[in-house]
Amino acid sequence: MRNPSSSSSSDGTKKITPCCSKVGIKKGPWTPEEDEILSNYIKREGEGQWRTLPKRAGLLRCGKSCRLRWMNYLRPSIKRGHIAPDEEDLILRLHRLLGNRWSLIAGRIPGRTDNEIKNYWNTRLRKKLISQGINPTTHKPLIFNQVVHDQLASSSSTSNPNTPSLEIMEEAGVSSTHQAAATNFTTNYNIPIDGGFMMGSLLPSSHGHGHNCIGDYIDNCDEDTFSSFLDSLVNDDDFMNHINEQQQQSSVSSYNNIGTIDWEFADVLSTKVGSDDQHGAAASLNDQL
DNA sequence: AAACGCTTCAACCGCTTATAA
DNA sequence: CTTATAAGCGGTTGAAGCGTT
């Protein structure tokens, strides 16, 4: 494990983490005895008050370490071991929508911790996607993105600056129907090609400022709505019902076509124009429909 | 059997966010 | 409103285990 004395900031000065700086605080792997003490204490007294918990429980650990051990290993609800294919699929779908929001992703997968999912992603899923030629950050094809982006950069032949050129769409194999939809889609929703819209900005605590129907939809959600939105990803059939309910309740015009947008096209388009993240939301939702 | 390289995952760190005083 | 403290998060590390040579 890591050397406790090696902690330093980028400018070389030592940084002290208050709860872990005391002499006599144990670090490194937990022993079965420590696990038992912590488990028994939390079962008896409950979670929380992590900073003072070690002293009260009689452990020579910092509160952070106790919390982590409990959250990631000792909690009775934790499901350890092999991640099933359906769990893997869910991780992929949620990551495509949420990015590296491990805690949020874990919250949607019963019995799995953020640390476990993060590790699984970094050691397996990331490599798996790369081996399949998929960018693990954007979930788009690795090579195609670059080619189209380069083409797009040298093109200025469309009247709407947000719309990819018809030549590019033809080259990319987009049908004429979808080409027309592209113009409508990008015009109606004023989607800027360069986006700057991170998937993480879909979250209530980190609002994006791009104009995107899905982004707007989620930006205007409260936490319960967002939570139920994520639940709908787990239960695919619920998603359209959820959107339709929101449509009826909302007078925001940009929501009006949300149930009729050609999401398959949105996915194709997002790949073609290279504004991965902004369209990534639509693309990920497309997969659910 | 030994040496080496690679993979996994528990645990730590620093930072941010939330809450209390 | 400001400051201090606690909790939570994501990135990173490195020991242990495993496979290969």
Side-chain angles (χ1 to χ4, degrees), chain A residues 150-168:
Chain A
D150 290 348
Q151 288 177 321
L152 197 57
S154 61
S155 169
S156 58
S157 61
T158 51
S159 55
N160 175 2
N162 292 335
T163 306
S165 75
L166 296 180
E167 292 89 336
I168 287 174

Side-chain angles (χ1 to χ4, degrees), chain A residues 70-103:
Chain A
W70 174 254
M71 294 297 198
N72 288 338
Y73 199 87
L74 296 174
R75 270 188 302 165
S77 58
I78 285 177
K79 186 202 298 180
R80 305 198 63 77
H82 184 67
I83 289 185
D86 61 326
E87 289 179 304
E88 183 179 304
D89 180 57
L90 190 52
I91 293 169
L92 282 166
R93 287 195 279 169
L94 287 168
H95 185 274
R96 188 175 179 179
L97 180 68
L98 301 170
N100 295 358
R101 305 284 179 142
W102 307 117
S103 182

Side-chain angles (χ1 to χ4, degrees), chain A residues 50-69:
Chain A
W50 294 110
R51 187 152 303 222
T52 56
L53 185 146
K55 194 175 180 182
R56 288 182 282 124
L59 285 164
L60 293 173
R61 293 275 181 173
C62 72
K64 262 186 173 184
S65 182
C66 291
R67 180 187 158 273
L68 202 72
R69 185 64 180 171

Side-chain angles (χ1 to χ4, degrees), chain A residues 189 250-258:
Chain A
Y189 295 104
S250 172
S251 60
V252 179
S253 61
S254 64
Y255 297 173
N256 287 352
N257 291 329
I258 197 165

Side-chain angles (χ1 to χ4, degrees), chain A residues 116-183:
Chain A
E116 187 176 18
I117 288 168
K118 181 172 59 181
N119 282 333
Y120 189 72
W121 178 268
N122 286 329
T123 58
R124 301 186 198 185
L125 286 183
R126 226 175 76 85
K127 291 172 190 170
K128 190 174 175 181
L129 288 181
I130 289 170
S131 75
Q132 292 171 349
I134 296 169
N135 183 326
T137 305
T138 64
H139 294 255
K140 303 295 174 191
L142 281 164
I143 299 169
F144 195 75
N145 268 3
Q146 188 56 52
V147 170
V148 174
H149 185 269
D150 290 348
Q151 288 177 321
L152 197 57
S154 61
S155 169
S156 58
S157 61
T158 51
S159 55
N160 175 2
N162 292 335
T163 306
S165 75
L166 296 180
E167 292 89 336
I168 287 174
M169 288 193 281
E170 269 181 20
E171 269 193 55
V174 179
S175 71
S176 56
T177 307
H178 282 159
Q179 286 173 26
T183 307

Side-chain angles (χ1 to χ4, degrees), chain A residues 178 261-271 282-283 286-287 289:
Chain A
H178 282 159
I261 287 171
D262 183 342
W263 292 108
E264 183 183 348
F265 168 72
D267 197 359
V268 171
L269 174 65
S270 67
T271 304
N286 169 47
D287 274 1
L289 300 178

